[in-house]
Amino acid sequence: MPILPNLRWRMTDPYFLQSLSLSGFRAYLQPKTFDFSKKRCLAIFAPNGRGKSSVIDALEFMFSKDGTLERLGKRAINNQAGPVALAHNLAEEAKIVAAVTIGAVLGKEVTNGSRAATGAKRPIPAVAATVNDCFAVPPIIRGHTLRTFVEIHTPEQRYTDVANWLQLGPLVEVQKNIRSLRTQVKAAAEDETALRRVDTQLAKETAQAVKTWDAAAMLSHANTLVLAPLDPSLVLAALAAGDLAYLELESRAKAEENKIGLAGLRQIRNAAAALRAETTDTESGEAVVSGAIPTFDAAVAVLAAAESKETEERGKAASTVFQVLWKAAEPLFAEGVSAPDSCPICSTPVADTAAGSAETIRDHITKHLEELADYAAAKKALDEAKTAATKAHTQLVAALPGLIGHLGDNEAALKADLTAYQAAIASWPESAIPASTDIVAAIAKLLVTLDQAIADIESKQGDHTYIKAKAKIDRFLELQTERDLALRTQDELGKLSGALMAQATTVSAEIRKKVQALLDKLQAPMNDIYKLIQGAGATLIRLELPAEEDTNQQRLNLLIDFAKNRTGVQPGGYLSDSQIHSVALALRMAAIKQFNARAPIIALDDIVTSYDADHRRTIAGLIATMFGDCQILITTHDERFFNYLKDQLEAKTWHFTRIIGLDPAYGPRFADHKVSDEMIEARWAEGESAANEMRQAEEEWLLGICRDFGVSVRIRPLERAYSYERSELASALAGLLKDAKLVPTLVPGVNNRFLDSLVKGEIENFGSHFQDGPYGDGSMGDEKARWEEFKNFRSQFACKKCSRTKFQRPFTLKKPVCAHDGCEAQFEFAAAAAQ
C-alpha cells in the first residue's frame, strides 16, 4: 500500500520550523520573514533595545495558550501591559495587519498557520497547536528567568514542572488525588463535630443538667426529672426502646392521648373565653365582660339605637330639599347684615311674605339648619354602628366553630345549642339576632368546670404528662442513636484511613520509582551539560525526591554536596551566580533534548548574561557538539558570544545575522538589509534628500570591505567595543592599501584620493546634519554627483579574474584574495566603471 512509507516517515521525522514571519508585531512594523528551509538554525546579534527578543516573543505568542506573552499578561493590570502591547504602535496607522505566521515541516510536508496579534480571541492556528503538543518541555529559555527554577520555585512547583516534562502528568494527578482523599478521610475520621452537636442538643434538652454524653447520667436524669414526677415507681433500667419501663410509658401515653389532657382543656377554655368571658378589673374591682357574643350583642344594640335616632332626625329634617337654598340665603339674612327689601328669587317684598320680616326669616333659616346638623350626626353614627356590627358579626361567626369543634359527647346539649345559635347568627341581618342569655350562661358554667379541671390537673402534675415524658425520652433515644452513628462512622473512617494510607504508600512507592527512574535518566545528561559549562571538577547536582516514608512525595529537591559538612544543601545558598545559571540552563536544555524529540526546537534569548568569556565560548561549543540535531534560535546582545557561535557552529546549518539599527517607521534593520542603490534613487524620485541613506550605504560598504580585507583598527573604548565610524574604517582601509602598494584609480571630479573624501563626507554631512549658516544645506544635485563618485570608486573593488566582490585575507597574506573557491586570485584594482 503506498500510504505505509508515508506513515513511516511521519511517525519518525520530527517537526521543525520552516519559516517565521512577523508583521506589525512588537518591534517589527514592516513584514519580516525568517526562512529556515536552507539553514535550520538562526543566531541574531543586536544591542539591547533593537528588537531581537521580538523574534523569541513571536514564538512564545504563537505557541501560547491564551494568545499573549507571559510578561504581558492576559490584561493590562499592575505592572503588566496586556495583549495590546503585542501589536506595533504604528501598525494600525500604517494599515498593517499585526500577526505572526509560522511554517512547520514534518518530513516533506509543510503546513502554515497565522495568528492575529489583535482582537479579543486570537485563536491558535492548527499547525501551532500540533507542534505545541509535541513540547513536553517549554522550548523557550530566557536568560532572565533561568534562576527562577533554582531559587524561587518551591519543591512542589519543581515537581509539577518536571513531572510534566517527564510526561507523568496523569500519574501525578493520581498521586495528588490519593493524597487529597487520604487527607480528607483522615480529617473526617478525626472530626468530632457530630459528637459536639449531640452534646449541644443534649445540654439544651436537659436544661444544662447534662452537658456531655454520659449513659449513667442520662439514665438518672430520665428517671429523676422526667418519669418520677408522674410515677416514682416507673423506673428505666436502661435508656432503650425495649426497656419494660419504656414500654409501660408508651402504653400510658397512648391512653392519655385518648383523654382530654391539660393542653386540651386549655384549648377548650380559650375557645369558650373567645365567645364570652368575665374578668375583674384589678384597679376598680369591677367585672369586665369580653368575647365575641357580648361584643356582637352590644354592637347590635348600638346599631338599633342609631337606626332609631336616624329615623327621628330624618323626620325633623324632612325638608332637606331646601338645604342648599337655606345655605345660600343664610349670608343675606345674617346677624348684622343689611337684609334685602325683597326676595332675591321672586322679587316679592319681604314685608309681603308669610314671615313678614327679615328677623323672622333669619330665625326660620337657623332652626332648619340646626335640624339638618342633628340629622347628619345621626346618619354618621348609624354608618359607624353598621360597620361595628358587621365586624362583630364576622368575629362571632369565626369564633363559634372553635368551641363547637372542641366540645365532646359530655357537652352534647351545649354543642347543640351553639350549633343552633350559630345558624341563627349566620342569617343576620336578614333575620333578627337570637337571644344569647342561655348560651352565655352555659358558656359561663363551662368555664367554671374547665377552670376547676385545669386547676386539679395543675395541682396534681403541673405540666408533666405521659405524652410529654415519652417525647422527652424519645428525644434522648434519638440523640443516643445519632451519637452511636457518629462513633461508628468515626471508627469506619479510621479503618478506611488506615487502608488508604497503606494503598497510598504502595501507589506512591510505585510512582516514586517511576519518577526517580526518569529523574535518573535526566540527571546524567543534565550533569554532563553542567560539567561542560562549569568544568569537569564542578560539583554534581542531584535531583532527589523526599524519603520514601515522607507522606508528601510531590516535591523535587535540587541538592549538592558542597562540602563534607555541607551535604545535601540547596545550591542557591552556595553556588555563584553563573553556577546557578548553569544549573537551570543545563536542566532545561537536557530536558528539552530528552523529552522534546518530536519537535527538537530550542529558542535561547540572552542566556549568557552571567558568564565570562571562557564560559561563553564553552556554551557555544556545547551547542555545536550536543545539540546538532536540534533547531536552535539564538538572540544575544553579547557580540563576543555571537562571534564564538560563528566560529564554532557550521555555516551550512546556521544563518548568522545582525540588527544594525531600529527604524521606528520600519522595524529592525538587519545586516542583510543594507541600503541599496534603488533605495537611494527612490528617495530622490520622491523629491527627498538621500543623505542619510548615502552615509549608511557608505558605512555598510566600508565595514564589509574592511572585514573582507582584514584591516587593522585601533581597539575601541570599552563602552563602544565593536562600533566603528566611517572615518575610522576609511582610514584603516587606506592604510592597508598603502602597505600593500595597492593604489585605486582617481575618481573623476575628486582632487584627492576618494578614501580621503570618504573620511570627510562633506556632501553627506551637509545633507544629514543641521547647519548653522543659512543656505548651508546640501542640494540634491550635490548628492547625486557624490553618489556617482562613490559608485565609481566602489566598482574598482572587484576581482579582475571573476568579477566577484567577496574577498578574504588570511593572516599569512599581505594582499586580499578572491573569496571564491574556484578563483582565489590576488586582489588588484580593476579599472573604474564608466559612469
Side-chain angles (χ1 to χ4, degrees), residues 744-745 792-798 800 828-835:
T745 304
N792 182 292
F793 180 73
R794 183 182 63 185
S795 67
Q796 300 181 46
F797 289 81
K800 294 186 68 175
E828 293 182 24
F829 276 111
Q835 301 295 323

Side-chain angles (χ1 to χ4, degrees), residues 259-336:
K259 298 179 181 179
I260 299 178
L262 184 60
L265 293 174
R266 287 175 175 168
Q267 196 170 13
I268 296 174
R269 189 194 184 286
N270 291 336
L275 290 175
R276 201 273 182 188
E278 185 174 332
T279 58
T280 303
D281 188 281
T282 55
E283 295 182 0
S284 63
E286 296 179 356
V288 178
V289 177
S290 61
I293 293 177
T295 300
F296 178 66
D297 288 344
V300 171
V302 171
L303 176 61
E307 289 176 341
S308 175
K309 180 67 174 175
E310 191 271 344
T311 301
E312 178 184 350
E313 293 299 329
R314 190 184 333 120
K316 295 179 181 179
S319 56
T320 55
V321 67
F322 296 107
Q323 180 179 6
V324 176
L325 179 61
W326 293 334
K327 281 287 185 182
E330 184 180 20
L332 298 177
F333 296 92
E335 193 78 35

Side-chain angles (χ1 to χ4, degrees), residues 270-471:
N270 291 336
L275 290 175
R276 201 273 182 188
E278 185 174 332
T279 58
T280 303
D281 188 281
T282 55
E283 295 182 0
S284 63
E286 296 179 356
V288 178
V289 177
S290 61
I293 293 177
T295 300
F296 178 66
D297 288 344
V300 171
V302 171
L303 176 61
E307 289 176 341
S308 175
K309 180 67 174 175
E310 191 271 344
T311 301
E312 178 184 350
E313 293 299 329
R314 190 184 333 120
K316 295 179 181 179
S319 56
T320 55
V321 67
F322 296 107
Q323 180 179 6
V324 176
L325 179 61
W326 293 334
K327 281 287 185 182
E330 184 180 20
L332 298 177
F333 296 92
E335 193 78 35
V337 176
S338 177
D341 295 332
S342 60
C343 176
I345 296 174
C346 60
S347 301
T348 302
V350 172
D352 296 338
T353 63
S357 66
E359 290 77 8
T360 305
I361 294 175
R362 185 183 303 116
D363 293 341
H364 181 77
I365 291 174
T366 301
K367 176 184 177 183
H368 281 282
L369 286 176
E370 287 174 355
E371 291 174 351
L372 286 174
D374 292 341
Y375 171 71
K379 183 66 171 62
K380 181 179 180 182
L382 175 60
D383 293 340
E384 291 174 351
K386 283 182 179 180
T387 301
T390 301
K391 181 178 179 182
H393 177 260
T394 302
Q395 292 174 346
L396 178 57
V397 169
L400 282 169
L403 180 57
I404 294 172
H406 284 94
L407 294 177
D409 295 338
N410 295 335
E411 294 85 13
L414 176 59
K415 187 172 184 178
D417 293 343
L418 283 172
T419 302
Y421 179 75
Q422 180 186 31
I425 287 295
S427 63
W428 183 87
E430 285 76 14
S431 60
I433 65 170
S436 61
T437 305
D438 294 340
I439 293 296
V440 167
I443 291 175
K445 183 179 179 182
L446 176 63
L447 287 173
V448 171
T449 303
L450 290 173
D451 288 341
Q452 185 62 48
I454 291 171
D456 291 343
I457 294 175
E458 288 179 341
S459 63
K460 180 179 180 181
Q461 64 179 29
D463 285 335
H464 292 283
T465 65
Y466 287 108
I467 294 175
K468 289 185 178 180
K470 181 181 179 298

Side-chain angles (χ1 to χ4, degrees), residues 530-681:
Y530 180 65
K531 286 191 296 182
L532 195 59
I533 299 174
Q534 292 296 327
T539 304
L540 298 183
I541 307 298
R542 301 202 306 272
L543 302 175
E544 288 191 359
L545 297 173
E548 291 187 20
E549 63 272 12
D550 196 322
T551 57
N552 181 11
Q553 286 290 320
Q554 293 178 282
R555 290 179 290 147
L556 173 61
N557 296 314
L558 287 174
L559 304 174
I560 62 168
D561 295 331
F562 182 72
K564 290 183 179 180
N565 61 344
R566 294 286 191 277
T567 60
V569 295
Q570 296 288 339
Y574 296 91
L575 299 185
S576 68
D577 190 70
S578 73
Q579 288 172 324
I580 294 290
H581 206 89
S582 297
V583 170
L585 181 62
L587 180 59
R588 286 290 299 278
M589 293 192 73
I592 291 174
K593 184 175 177 62
Q594 193 74 30
F595 304 114
N596 284 8
R598 294 172 57 202
I601 301 168
I602 307 176
L604 305 174
D605 183 26
D606 269 337
I607 61 167
V608 296
T609 54
S610 299
Y611 296 107
D612 57 25
D614 290 340
H615 284 95
R616 296 174 200 175
R617 184 176 182 83
T618 300
I619 292 174
L622 162 71
I623 294 172
T625 57
M626 296 187 67
F627 293 88
D629 57 345
C630 296
Q631 182 178 36
I632 302 179
L633 281 67
I634 298 177
T635 62
T636 181
H637 68 270
D638 189 301
E639 189 163 10
R640 185 186 295 271
F641 177 58
F642 183 70
N643 289 331
Y644 286 149
L645 293 172
K646 292 175 62 179
D647 185 49
Q648 299 190 54
L649 300 176
E650 294 184 13
K652 66 179 182 180
T653 306
W654 283 81
H655 175 62
F656 299 94
T657 186
R658 295 166 175 257
I659 297 177
I660 58 178
L662 181 62
D663 186 347
Y666 179 86
R669 293 278 188 183
F670 285 80
D672 42 8
H673 283 179
K674 293 179 180 178
V675 176
S676 64
D677 295 359
E678 291 77 10
M679 292 171 63
I680 293 174
E681 291 169 359

